[in-house]
Amino acid sequence: MEIAGAKLYVMLDADAWFEPLRQELLRIGIAYEIWNLTERVVNLCDIPPDGIFFNRVSASCHARGHREIAEYGRQVVLWLLAHGRRVLNGGCPAGAAIDFELSKAKQMHTLTLAGMQVPETFALPVPVLTWSGGEVSYAFPADSGTCPASEALVRSLQRLADVIEGFKGAVVVKPNCGGRGLGVTKVSDNEGCVKSLREVAVGGSLPEWVSEAWPIDGVLVVQRLIQPVEPAFITRVEVIGGRLGYAQKTDISDGATHLCTADACAIGKQRFTWHREIDEQTPITQQCLKFASQHGLDVAGFEFIEEAGTGLQFVYDINPNTNYSSA
């Protein structure tokens, strides 16, 4: 298939974040069509149309009532790749880009294997639960004889307490699949946190943050909280087509975890500026470019924190579904 002049198909579940890219496509005259995966039905026995497909499946799709897009989007991408279509962020092996989008656990162990510095990270299993009116229940029907959801919750909290107790300093608890900082909780008082988690077993109140941080896929992630240099900021290295697009500095001096860059996410203070000291020859940029190439990430943002005292740069997140702002 000829790439030049090919039609672009953009696969997504929410077009609110698409507007800046839409305007740019119109400006440079690229024909495109939106495939809203929340509505689009695909005949898997058909041959896909010719063109280039841009995978925009988002980790936060569940926050818009469309968790199904995580799994459905992956199947659509695999169908397209099976027919030899060019899929931007199709991943290598096939589907890997979506896997990175949906799993912080996958990000951490794959970055580690690539020789990149990451925070100490533990993953632990928990049942998929839902809360209503203060009552907890399984998110899916459970067989008769299965222990009550409340009991399963207590057991999971004990595991979580054990993990947090094993850290010597502050930690961050996050759902394996989140997006937009959803459910990310910083814990600075480990002892107090462990105590409150264990007390649930004897009638204590469930800490408010627990239900917000509870994962939709049954995997909780606990990481060592990296203390940044002052003034506190993180850096995002944006890889586009195998090159450095830009590096962005994000102000986190207020402790924020909601760091989505899209216009549709904008709340509170203006926290984004260019980080011009980072260029394509900077060692961590070179690592990100190599990683993106090896794993089929055509468009991705790598976020890292420079640790106070050591100067080490810890990569803690990969965003294969970059949402550009009008800026």
Side-chain angles (χ1 to χ4, degrees), residues 119-193:
E120 183 179 10
T121 304
F122 285 77
L124 60 146
V126 298
V128 181
L129 302 174
T130 184
W131 279 265
S132 179
E135 297 295 322
V136 64
S137 60
Y138 289 111
F140 305 100
D143 290 343
S144 61
T146 302
C147 75
S150 57
E151 183 179 332
L153 171 62
V154 166
R155 292 176 180 174
S156 298
L157 295 179
Q158 297 303 312
R159 284 194 294 275
L160 177 58
D162 289 343
V163 172
I164 294 175
E165 197 169 40
F167 280 86
K168 295 180 180 179
V171 301
V172 57
V173 181
K174 56 181 73 172
N176 183 50
C177 178
R180 303 195 336 244
L182 295 172
V184 175
T185 303
K186 295 179 181 179
V187 176
S188 56
D189 179 7
N190 291 23
E191 184 178 347
C193 178

Side-chain angles (χ1 to χ4, degrees), residues 57 64 91 101 109 114 116 124 149 171 195 218 256 271 281 304 309:
V57 171
R64 294 176 293 280
E101 176 72 8
H109 71 69
M116 300 176 75
L124 60 146
V171 301
K195 183 174 183 290
R271 62 178 74 250
Q281 300 310 311
F304 70 86

Side-chain angles (χ1 to χ4, degrees), residues 8-9 96 210 245 281 321:
L8 179 68
Y9 295 86
V210 170
Q281 300 310 311
N321 185 26

Side-chain angles (χ1 to χ4, degrees), residues 116-119 172 174 184 186 223-237 248-252 255-257 259 275 278 284 288 302-317:
M116 300 176 75
Q117 195 84 37
V118 302
V172 57
K174 56 181 73 172
V184 175
K186 295 179 181 179
Q223 292 181 323
R224 180 168 76 88
L225 181 63
I226 305 301
Q227 300 298 335
V229 296
E230 295 293 340
F233 67 90
I234 64 166
T235 300
R236 180 179 177 121
V237 173
Q248 173 185 282
K249 182 181 288 187
T250 304
D251 178 358
I252 57 168
T257 58
L259 304 176
H275 195 162
I278 301 291
I284 195 164
C288 293
F302 294 76
E303 295 182 352
F304 70 86
I305 299 178
E306 183 175 337
E307 185 177 37
T310 69
L312 294 174
Q313 296 171 323
F314 290 85
V315 181
Y316 70 91
D317 196 17

